[in-house]
Amino acid sequence: MVGEPSHKLSYMLTGSGSFGASPTVIRDKANKLRNECEGNPCPFIVYQFPRLLDESRSAMSEFLGVPKSTIVFVPNATTGVNTVLRNLVWNIAGKDEILHFDVIYGACGKTARYVCEANRHIVRTREIDLKYPVDKSVIVNAFRKVIQASREEGFRPRIAIFDTITSNPAIRFPFEEITAVCHAEGVLSLIDAAHGIGQIELNLQLLNPDFLVSNCHKWLFAPRGCAVFYVPERNQTMMRSTLPTSHGFIAQPSDQMSLVNPPNSVDAKTAFVSNFDFTGTTDNFSFLTIADVIGWRRNVCGGERAIHEYCDQLCRKGGRRVAEILGTKTLGDLDQTPACFMVNILLPLDRATEGFESRVKGTDGSTITVGNWMQQSMINHHQTFMPVFPFQGGWWVRLSAQIYLEESDFEWAGWTLKKLCKELHEMKD
């Protein structure tokens, strides 16, 4: 295309990658249940909600190929990661370590640091730093080496947090191989699959992680916020409490607290499942839409394979075209990169990625980062949003491919980004 195309679609390229986009029919289902509850809240919350939640757990367990007893729901992936790390009992000798990569999601990295602080630093973190793009064998070898280094220094690598697909930048991690290393080395595996379900295949029976949490509202099309939290039965006794602790908590016999069953518990449930049935009054009707979401993907979209093939090809073609328009590059060769639906593209900016906050003025006159200036300009002038972030000395944008997008949407994104970069270059320091 010679010049900048006109475009009909303003909401684009980021919904699933950031906070998700749900079909109207699915949101209507959640709203219908919400209205039912408002009409008679006590019977709905105490009796009907647990039954409907069980139906969602059944649908999800079948979708992931694992026992229903291993599936519960939490509001988001960050809650799942917090649940695991805050439940683990750390050795008072002070030698336990939490391993993670440098591209860990920010909230999860801070959770790990908070856990260290809250436990009076008897546990500490160890980070694995790499230069990207990088072959998956390098990632796996670096992980093995950090386990070895931890032990050689007299520490105990207790648990490793790693992604299926990282956030910024979006990189498909060799989580299968890393999980296998964890099994071989006796390290607990905590998989942050926030971008996993609905984007890549998750064969949990084969993968067999110690803990996994995945947002259903990003790529599966469930309403916000909804995440599946998988804990195999062998590890469920470690998850003593939900966040927050609620009626489902069963005190140990040595405690003097009374053992009270949750008011909305269903007979024959395990302590683990009952624990997550009710964690306080929240708007979690999205949990009840999972069977509808899975059915919609199968009956309307043609099933998982059709979705994956379309979005994978769109991501590769669209990413190449945007890089061409910008005159830059993607992070890694898209022909060689393992399939996912997000692509990172370098922006043609010579602005420094560090210490530049004081040189860019936002729409309200305040000084903001380059990334925030770009994003605010997208919202105010182009009715769209694409995440812009600093990485390895440059400014990058992450674009997401979805079934409701076409190549022309990426074309529009490329010209829009080029225009914004030009405006930023013309701004006086």
Side-chain angles (χ1 to χ4, degrees), residues 279-301:
T279 59
T281 306
T282 56
D283 189 329
N284 48 15
F285 295 94
S286 58
F287 294 5
L288 310 182
T289 65
I290 295 301
D292 299 87
V293 168
I294 294 171
W296 190 86
R297 292 171 67 87
R298 179 178 60 249
N299 300 324
V300 177
C301 303

Side-chain angles (χ1 to χ4, degrees), residues 125-174:
T125 61
R126 185 181 290 258
E127 184 172 280
I128 305 157
D129 297 316
L130 295 169
K131 179 74 174 178
Y132 303 90
V134 61
D135 187 79
K136 69 177 184 179
S137 63
V138 176
I139 297 175
V140 177
N141 287 335
F143 182 64
R144 285 196 180 98
K145 288 179 180 178
V146 84
I147 292 174
Q148 181 181 358
S150 174
R151 288 171 175 160
E152 288 177 351
E153 294 172 23
F155 292 95
R156 178 193 180 196
R158 180 77 179 283
I159 188 169
I161 311 172
F162 50 94
D163 299 79
T164 50
I165 301 170
T166 58
S167 182
N168 287 331
I171 302 169
R172 192 191 189 285
F173 247 56

Side-chain angles (χ1 to χ4, degrees), residues 191-257:
I191 303 181
D192 177 7
H195 290 280
I197 192 168
Q199 183 173 183
I200 56 175
E201 182 180 1
L202 291 176
N203 188 334
L204 296 192
Q205 189 169 17
L206 180 63
L207 183 63
N208 194 23
D210 289 304
F211 309 98
L212 181 143
V213 60
S214 189
N215 285 327
C216 301
H217 55 256
K218 284 186 181 287
W219 297 95
L220 197 69
F221 306 137
R224 290 177 296 274
C226 177
V228 56
F229 182 35
Y230 167 76
V231 181
E233 291 179 356
R234 67 178 184 272
N235 292 332
Q236 290 180 3
T237 55
M238 289 191 243
M239 299 296 97
R240 294 282 298 124
S241 174
T242 55
L243 293 179
T245 301
S246 191
H247 293 281
F249 175 74
I250 300 176
Q252 293 179 345
S254 58
D255 293 341
Q256 297 304 310
M257 299 169 59

Side-chain angles (χ1 to χ4, degrees), residues 224-389:
R224 290 177 296 274
C226 177
V228 56
F229 182 35
Y230 167 76
V231 181
E233 291 179 356
R234 67 178 184 272
N235 292 332
Q236 290 180 3
T237 55
M238 289 191 243
M239 299 296 97
R240 294 282 298 124
S241 174
T242 55
L243 293 179
T245 301
S246 191
H247 293 281
F249 175 74
I250 300 176
Q252 293 179 345
S254 58
D255 293 341
Q256 297 304 310
M257 299 169 59
S258 60
L259 306 184
V260 181
N261 290 323
N264 57 341
S265 64
V266 176
D267 292 341
K269 287 186 180 179
T270 66
F272 170 74
V273 171
S274 294
N275 215 357
F276 284 84
D277 258 2
F278 182 81
T279 59
T281 306
T282 56
D283 189 329
N284 48 15
F285 295 94
S286 58
F287 294 5
L288 310 182
T289 65
I290 295 301
D292 299 87
V293 168
I294 294 171
W296 190 86
R297 292 171 67 87
R298 179 178 60 249
N299 300 324
V300 177
C301 303
E304 298 306 308
R305 177 174 293 183
I307 293 171
H308 286 208
E309 289 179 355
Y310 179 81
C311 293
D312 174 49
Q313 291 303 310
L314 177 60
C315 185
R316 295 178 194 270
K317 291 179 181 178
R320 290 190 194 97
R321 181 58 183 137
V322 173
E324 180 184 3
I325 292 170
L326 297 177
T328 59
K329 63 180 181 179
T330 60
L331 183 64
D333 185 345
L334 294 183
D335 289 324
Q336 303 297 324
T337 303
C340 70
F341 307 162
M342 298 187 288
V343 58
N344 315 285
I345 304 161
L346 182 65
L347 293 175
L349 295 174
D350 55 11
R351 302 281 190 169
T353 58
E354 300 293 337
F356 188 62
E357 293 86 347
S358 62
R359 298 190 184 183
V360 180
K361 286 191 175 182
T363 54
D364 60 355
S366 61
T367 56
I368 56 176
T369 65
V370 168
N372 278 328
W373 182 88
M374 293 280 288
Q375 290 166 174
Q376 286 186 14
S377 298
M378 290 179 207
I379 295 168
N380 294 331
H381 304 299
H382 301 281
Q383 294 75 53
T384 192
F385 182 91
M386 293 171 267
V388 173
F389 56 94

Side-chain angles (χ1 to χ4, degrees), residues 388-400:
V388 173
F389 56 94
F391 183 67
Q392 294 184 167
W395 287 99
W396 298 76
V397 63
R398 187 194 73 198
L399 304 183
S400 299

